[in-house]
PDB file of all heavy atoms in Angstrom:
ATOM      1  N   THR A 228      26.666  24.270 -61.780  1.00  0.00           N
ATOM      2  CA  THR A 228      27.729  25.126 -61.479  1.00  0.00           C
ATOM      3  C   THR A 228      28.964  24.857 -62.304  1.00  0.00           C
ATOM      4  O   THR A 228      29.398  23.559 -62.356  1.00  0.00           O
ATOM      5  CB  THR A 228      28.043  25.204 -59.932  1.00  0.00           C
ATOM      6  OG1 THR A 228      26.912  25.325 -59.226  1.00  0.00           O
ATOM      7  CG2 THR A 228      29.148  26.132 -59.640  1.00  0.00           C
ATOM      8  N   PRO A 229      29.552  25.763 -63.086  1.00  0.00           N
ATOM      9  CA  PRO A 229      30.644  25.464 -63.928  1.00  0.00           C
ATOM     10  C   PRO A 229      31.782  24.751 -63.141  1.00  0.00           C
ATOM     11  O   PRO A 229      32.179  25.197 -62.210  1.00  0.00           O
ATOM     12  CB  PRO A 229      31.018  26.805 -64.401  1.00  0.00           C
ATOM     13  CG  PRO A 229      29.893  27.819 -64.265  1.00  0.00           C
ATOM     14  CD  PRO A 229      29.144  27.225 -63.092  1.00  0.00           C
ATOM     15  N   GLY A 230      32.178  23.666 -63.825  1.00  0.00           N
ATOM     16  CA  GLY A 230      33.306  22.863 -63.344  1.00  0.00           C
ATOM     17  C   GLY A 230      32.926  21.668 -62.450  1.00  0.00           C
ATOM     18  O   GLY A 230      33.739  20.789 -62.311  1.00  0.00           O
ATOM     19  N   THR A 231      31.765  21.713 -61.771  1.00  0.00           N
ATOM     20  CA  THR A 231      31.417  20.774 -60.725  1.00  0.00           C
ATOM     21  C   THR A 231      31.487  19.372 -61.409  1.00  0.00           C
ATOM     22  O   THR A 231      32.203  18.527 -60.907  1.00  0.00           O
ATOM     23  CB  THR A 231      30.077  20.995 -60.162  1.00  0.00           C
ATOM     24  OG1 THR A 231      30.011  22.243 -59.472  1.00  0.00           O
ATOM     25  CG2 THR A 231      29.626  19.888 -59.192  1.00  0.00           C
ATOM     26  N   GLY A 232      30.788  19.082 -62.424  1.00  0.00           N
ATOM     27  CA  GLY A 232      30.774  17.760 -62.976  1.00  0.00           C
ATOM     28  C   GLY A 232      32.178  17.242 -63.466  1.00  0.00           C
ATOM     29  O   GLY A 232      32.571  16.170 -63.334  1.00  0.00           O
ATOM     30  N   THR A 233      32.814  18.197 -64.232  1.00  0.00           N
ATOM     31  CA  THR A 233      34.126  17.888 -64.839  1.00  0.00           C
ATOM     32  C   THR A 233      35.194  17.668 -63.673  1.00  0.00           C
ATOM     33  O   THR A 233      35.985  16.817 -63.846  1.00  0.00           O
ATOM     34  CB  THR A 233      34.537  18.873 -65.835  1.00  0.00           C
ATOM     35  OG1 THR A 233      34.539  20.173 -65.286  1.00  0.00           O
ATOM     36  CG2 THR A 233      33.708  18.898 -67.064  1.00  0.00           C
ATOM     37  N   VAL A 234      35.121  18.449 -62.644  1.00  0.00           N
ATOM     38  CA  VAL A 234      36.161  18.326 -61.629  1.00  0.00           C
ATOM     39  C   VAL A 234      35.872  16.922 -60.800  1.00  0.00           C
ATOM     40  O   VAL A 234      36.866  16.218 -60.535  1.00  0.00           O
ATOM     41  CB  VAL A 234      36.101  19.438 -60.654  1.00  0.00           C
ATOM     42  CG1 VAL A 234      36.942  19.166 -59.382  1.00  0.00           C
ATOM     43  CG2 VAL A 234      36.704  20.679 -61.348  1.00  0.00           C
ATOM     44  N   ILE A 235      34.653  16.656 -60.648  1.00  0.00           N
ATOM     45  CA  ILE A 235      34.249  15.293 -60.004  1.00  0.00           C
ATOM     46  C   ILE A 235      34.741  14.237 -60.864  1.00  0.00           C
ATOM     47  O   ILE A 235      35.374  13.320 -60.396  1.00  0.00           O
ATOM     48  CB  ILE A 235      32.814  15.317 -59.613  1.00  0.00           C
ATOM     49  CG1 ILE A 235      32.520  16.291 -58.382  1.00  0.00           C
ATOM     50  CG2 ILE A 235      32.452  13.917 -59.141  1.00  0.00           C
ATOM     51  CD1 ILE A 235      31.099  16.461 -58.051  1.00  0.00           C
ATOM     52  N   ALA A 236      34.438  14.312 -62.192  1.00  0.00           N
ATOM     53  CA  ALA A 236      34.887  13.294 -63.068  1.00  0.00           C
ATOM     54  C   ALA A 236      36.422  13.097 -63.062  1.00  0.00           C
ATOM     55  O   ALA A 236      36.954  12.039 -63.080  1.00  0.00           O
ATOM     56  CB  ALA A 236      34.274  13.580 -64.446  1.00  0.00           C
ATOM     57  N   ALA A 237      37.056  14.290 -63.129  1.00  0.00           N
ATOM     58  CA  ALA A 237      38.498  14.236 -63.108  1.00  0.00           C
ATOM     59  C   ALA A 237      39.141  13.549 -62.006  1.00  0.00           C
ATOM     60  O   ALA A 237      40.170  13.017 -61.950  1.00  0.00           O
ATOM     61  CB  ALA A 237      39.077  15.700 -63.266  1.00  0.00           C
ATOM     62  N   LEU A 238      38.297  13.618 -60.745  1.00  0.00           N
ATOM     63  CA  LEU A 238      38.859  12.959 -59.545  1.00  0.00           C
ATOM     64  C   LEU A 238      38.370  11.508 -59.420  1.00  0.00           C
ATOM     65  O   LEU A 238      38.676  10.805 -58.548  1.00  0.00           O
ATOM     66  CB  LEU A 238      38.417  13.766 -58.340  1.00  0.00           C
ATOM     67  CG  LEU A 238      39.113  15.104 -58.147  1.00  0.00           C
ATOM     68  CD1 LEU A 238      38.441  15.953 -56.992  1.00  0.00           C
ATOM     69  CD2 LEU A 238      40.641  14.852 -57.867  1.00  0.00           C
ATOM     70  N   GLY A 239      37.582  11.077 -60.466  1.00  0.00           N
ATOM     71  CA  GLY A 239      37.094   9.714 -60.521  1.00  0.00           C
ATOM     72  C   GLY A 239      38.168   8.619 -60.462  1.00  0.00           C
ATOM     73  O   GLY A 239      37.974   7.492 -60.103  1.00  0.00           O
ATOM     74  N   ASP A 240      39.394   8.970 -61.069  1.00  0.00           N
ATOM     75  CA  ASP A 240      40.487   8.001 -61.108  1.00  0.00           C
ATOM     76  C   ASP A 240      41.184   7.884 -59.901  1.00  0.00           C
ATOM     77  O   ASP A 240      42.135   7.051 -59.694  1.00  0.00           O
ATOM     78  CB  ASP A 240      41.372   8.331 -62.312  1.00  0.00           C
ATOM     79  CG  ASP A 240      40.815   8.144 -63.605  1.00  0.00           C
ATOM     80  OD1 ASP A 240      39.817   7.307 -63.757  1.00  0.00           O
ATOM     81  OD2 ASP A 240      41.148   8.751 -64.535  1.00  0.00           O
ATOM     82  N   GLY A 241      40.955   8.798 -58.909  1.00  0.00           N
ATOM     83  CA  GLY A 241      41.688   8.703 -57.587  1.00  0.00           C
ATOM     84  C   GLY A 241      42.219  10.132 -57.219  1.00  0.00           C
ATOM     85  O   GLY A 241      42.116  11.033 -57.945  1.00  0.00           O
ATOM     86  N   PRO A 242      42.872  10.099 -55.972  1.00  0.00           N
ATOM     87  CA  PRO A 242      43.389  11.497 -55.467  1.00  0.00           C
ATOM     88  C   PRO A 242      44.284  12.118 -56.438  1.00  0.00           C
ATOM     89  O   PRO A 242      45.134  11.342 -57.091  1.00  0.00           O
ATOM     90  CB  PRO A 242      44.103  11.023 -54.234  1.00  0.00           C
ATOM     91  CG  PRO A 242      43.384   9.774 -53.753  1.00  0.00           C
ATOM     92  CD  PRO A 242      43.058   9.105 -55.135  1.00  0.00           C
ATOM     93  N   ALA A 243      44.456  13.429 -56.552  1.00  0.00           N
ATOM     94  CA  ALA A 243      45.353  14.048 -57.447  1.00  0.00           C
ATOM     95  C   ALA A 243      45.559  15.477 -56.858  1.00  0.00           C
ATOM     96  O   ALA A 243      44.682  16.049 -56.158  1.00  0.00           O
ATOM     97  CB  ALA A 243      44.693  14.231 -58.783  1.00  0.00           C
ATOM     98  N   PRO A 244      46.868  15.937 -57.111  1.00  0.00           N
ATOM     99  CA  PRO A 244      47.180  17.326 -56.687  1.00  0.00           C
ATOM    100  C   PRO A 244      46.336  18.283 -57.624  1.00  0.00           C
ATOM    101  O   PRO A 244      45.960  17.921 -58.696  1.00  0.00           O
ATOM    102  CB  PRO A 244      48.708  17.372 -56.952  1.00  0.00           C
ATOM    103  CG  PRO A 244      49.028  16.364 -57.848  1.00  0.00           C
ATOM    104  CD  PRO A 244      47.918  15.298 -57.706  1.00  0.00           C
ATOM    105  N   SER A 245      46.227  19.447 -57.156  1.00  0.00           N
ATOM    106  CA  SER A 245      45.404  20.517 -58.119  1.00  0.00           C
ATOM    107  C   SER A 245      46.016  20.614 -59.458  1.00  0.00           C
ATOM    108  O   SER A 245      45.210  20.805 -60.444  1.00  0.00           O
ATOM    109  CB  SER A 245      45.260  21.706 -57.198  1.00  0.00           C
ATOM    110  OG  SER A 245      46.471  22.367 -57.115  1.00  0.00           O
ATOM    111  N   ALA A 246      47.313  20.502 -59.601  1.00  0.00           N
ATOM    112  CA  ALA A 246      47.922  20.660 -60.930  1.00  0.00           C
ATOM    113  C   ALA A 246      47.454  19.652 -61.878  1.00  0.00           C
ATOM    114  O   ALA A 246      47.104  19.943 -63.074  1.00  0.00           O
ATOM    115  CB  ALA A 246      49.437  20.681 -60.750  1.00  0.00           C
ATOM    116  N   ASP A 247      47.269  18.460 -61.348  1.00  0.00           N
ATOM    117  CA  ASP A 247      46.762  17.386 -62.258  1.00  0.00           C
ATOM    118  C   ASP A 247      45.320  17.521 -62.533  1.00  0.00           C
ATOM    119  O   ASP A 247      44.821  17.326 -63.690  1.00  0.00           O
ATOM    120  CB  ASP A 247      47.027  15.950 -61.593  1.00  0.00           C
ATOM    121  CG  ASP A 247      48.378  15.482 -61.396  1.00  0.00           C
ATOM    122  OD1 ASP A 247      49.238  16.242 -61.998  1.00  0.00           O
ATOM    123  OD2 ASP A 247      48.550  14.459 -60.948  1.00  0.00           O
ATOM    124  N   VAL A 248      44.517  17.993 -61.478  1.00  0.00           N
ATOM    125  CA  VAL A 248      43.106  18.284 -61.807  1.00  0.00           C
ATOM    126  C   VAL A 248      42.908  19.364 -62.861  1.00  0.00           C
ATOM    127  O   VAL A 248      42.131  19.265 -63.785  1.00  0.00           O
ATOM    128  CB  VAL A 248      42.288  18.654 -60.501  1.00  0.00           C
ATOM    129  CG1 VAL A 248      40.935  19.023 -60.819  1.00  0.00           C
ATOM    130  CG2 VAL A 248      42.430  17.485 -59.433  1.00  0.00           C
ATOM    131  N   ARG A 249      43.723  20.396 -62.703  1.00  0.00           N
ATOM    132  CA  ARG A 249      43.755  21.545 -63.752  1.00  0.00           C
ATOM    133  C   ARG A 249      44.027  21.067 -65.116  1.00  0.00           C
ATOM    134  O   ARG A 249      43.496  21.419 -66.112  1.00  0.00           O
ATOM    135  CB  ARG A 249      44.687  22.609 -63.324  1.00  0.00           C
ATOM    136  CG  ARG A 249      44.187  23.429 -62.195  1.00  0.00           C
ATOM    137  CD  ARG A 249      44.986  24.801 -61.873  1.00  0.00           C
ATOM    138  NE  ARG A 249      46.420  24.531 -61.896  1.00  0.00           N
ATOM    139  CZ  ARG A 249      47.228  24.356 -60.835  1.00  0.00           C
ATOM    140  NH1 ARG A 249      46.710  24.222 -59.637  1.00  0.00           N
ATOM    141  NH2 ARG A 249      48.473  24.139 -60.899  1.00  0.00           N
ATOM    142  N   ALA A 250      44.986  20.171 -65.167  1.00  0.00           N
ATOM    143  CA  ALA A 250      45.448  19.581 -66.478  1.00  0.00           C
ATOM    144  C   ALA A 250      44.264  18.704 -67.087  1.00  0.00           C
ATOM    145  O   ALA A 250      44.178  18.618 -68.347  1.00  0.00           O
ATOM    146  CB  ALA A 250      46.715  18.677 -66.390  1.00  0.00           C
ATOM    147  N   ARG A 251      43.484  17.988 -66.368  1.00  0.00           N
ATOM    148  CA  ARG A 251      42.453  17.133 -66.727  1.00  0.00           C
ATOM    149  C   ARG A 251      41.219  17.921 -67.144  1.00  0.00           C
ATOM    150  O   ARG A 251      40.436  17.511 -68.028  1.00  0.00           O
ATOM    151  CB  ARG A 251      42.100  16.173 -65.663  1.00  0.00           C
ATOM    152  CG  ARG A 251      43.115  15.208 -65.378  1.00  0.00           C
ATOM    153  CD  ARG A 251      42.706  14.292 -64.141  1.00  0.00           C
ATOM    154  NE  ARG A 251      43.749  13.569 -63.628  1.00  0.00           N
ATOM    155  CZ  ARG A 251      43.823  12.870 -62.516  1.00  0.00           C
ATOM    156  NH1 ARG A 251      42.594  12.865 -61.842  1.00  0.00           N
ATOM    157  NH2 ARG A 251      44.781  12.169 -62.075  1.00  0.00           N
ATOM    158  N   VAL A 252      40.965  19.021 -66.484  1.00  0.00           N
ATOM    159  CA  VAL A 252      39.721  19.853 -66.776  1.00  0.00           C
ATOM    160  C   VAL A 252      40.168  21.003 -67.656  1.00  0.00           C
ATOM    161  O   VAL A 252      40.605  21.988 -67.301  1.00  0.00           O
ATOM    162  CB  VAL A 252      39.192  20.380 -65.425  1.00  0.00           C
ATOM    163  CG1 VAL A 252      37.980  21.292 -65.742  1.00  0.00           C
ATOM    164  CG2 VAL A 252      38.856  19.326 -64.445  1.00  0.00           C
ATOM    165  N   THR A 253      39.984  20.767 -68.950  1.00  0.00           N
ATOM    166  CA  THR A 253      40.399  21.707 -69.998  1.00  0.00           C
ATOM    167  C   THR A 253      39.362  22.816 -70.321  1.00  0.00           C
ATOM    168  O   THR A 253      39.663  23.726 -70.981  1.00  0.00           O
ATOM    169  CB  THR A 253      40.918  21.066 -71.229  1.00  0.00           C
ATOM    170  OG1 THR A 253      39.720  20.286 -71.654  1.00  0.00           O
ATOM    171  CG2 THR A 253      42.027  20.104 -70.954  1.00  0.00           C
ATOM    172  N   ASP A 254      38.172  22.603 -69.766  1.00  0.00           N
ATOM    173  CA  ASP A 254      37.085  23.673 -70.164  1.00  0.00           C
ATOM    174  C   ASP A 254      37.105  24.741 -69.194  1.00  0.00           C
ATOM    175  O   ASP A 254      36.162  25.613 -69.236  1.00  0.00           O
ATOM    176  CB  ASP A 254      35.821  22.913 -70.348  1.00  0.00           C
ATOM    177  CG  ASP A 254      35.216  22.319 -69.061  1.00  0.00           C
ATOM    178  OD1 ASP A 254      36.145  21.885 -68.162  1.00  0.00           O
ATOM    179  OD2 ASP A 254      34.154  22.252 -68.829  1.00  0.00           O
ATOM    180  N   LEU A 255      37.929  24.861 -68.179  1.00  0.00           N
ATOM    181  CA  LEU A 255      37.937  25.874 -67.240  1.00  0.00           C
ATOM    182  C   LEU A 255      39.402  26.328 -67.050  1.00  0.00           C
ATOM    183  O   LEU A 255      40.301  25.669 -67.266  1.00  0.00           O
ATOM    184  CB  LEU A 255      37.517  25.385 -65.837  1.00  0.00           C
ATOM    185  CG  LEU A 255      36.029  25.023 -65.596  1.00  0.00           C
ATOM    186  CD1 LEU A 255      35.915  24.403 -64.227  1.00  0.00           C
ATOM    187  CD2 LEU A 255      35.173  26.174 -65.845  1.00  0.00           C
ATOM    188  N   GLY A 256      39.513  27.703 -66.651  1.00  0.00           N
ATOM    189  CA  GLY A 256      40.817  28.288 -66.465  1.00  0.00           C
ATOM    190  C   GLY A 256      41.395  27.784 -65.029  1.00  0.00           C
ATOM    191  O   GLY A 256      40.605  27.254 -64.226  1.00  0.00           O
ATOM    192  N   ASN A 257      42.631  27.925 -64.820  1.00  0.00           N
ATOM    193  CA  ASN A 257      43.229  27.400 -63.560  1.00  0.00           C
ATOM    194  C   ASN A 257      42.555  27.947 -62.340  1.00  0.00           C
ATOM    195  O   ASN A 257      42.298  27.187 -61.346  1.00  0.00           O
ATOM    196  CB  ASN A 257      44.780  27.756 -63.618  1.00  0.00           C
ATOM    197  CG  ASN A 257      45.420  26.831 -64.607  1.00  0.00           C
ATOM    198  OD1 ASN A 257      45.029  25.836 -65.157  1.00  0.00           O
ATOM    199  ND2 ASN A 257      46.608  27.261 -64.954  1.00  0.00           N
ATOM    200  N   ASP A 258      42.294  29.232 -62.317  1.00  0.00           N
ATOM    201  CA  ASP A 258      41.695  29.816 -61.135  1.00  0.00           C
ATOM    202  C   ASP A 258      40.241  29.329 -60.835  1.00  0.00           C
ATOM    203  O   ASP A 258      39.906  29.074 -59.748  1.00  0.00           O
ATOM    204  CB  ASP A 258      41.595  31.379 -61.229  1.00  0.00           C
ATOM    205  CG  ASP A 258      43.023  31.959 -61.145  1.00  0.00           C
ATOM    206  OD1 ASP A 258      43.980  31.462 -60.691  1.00  0.00           O
ATOM    207  OD2 ASP A 258      43.098  33.189 -61.603  1.00  0.00           O
TER     208      ASP A 258
END
């Protein structure tokens, strides 16, 4: 499913607000 792996990897460094997750995951749009 698009984004699943990259979002999980982006949260691997610890808790983050959605804005930080969006900044880390550059292959998907914000929505």
Side-chain angles (χ1 to χ4, degrees):
T228 303
T231 297
T233 52
V234 168
I235 289 173
L238 290 171
D240 291 333
S245 62
D247 288 358
V248 177
R249 289 191 311 268
R251 295 174 192 172
V252 179
T253 58
D254 61 330
L255 292 176
N257 290 343
D258 291 343

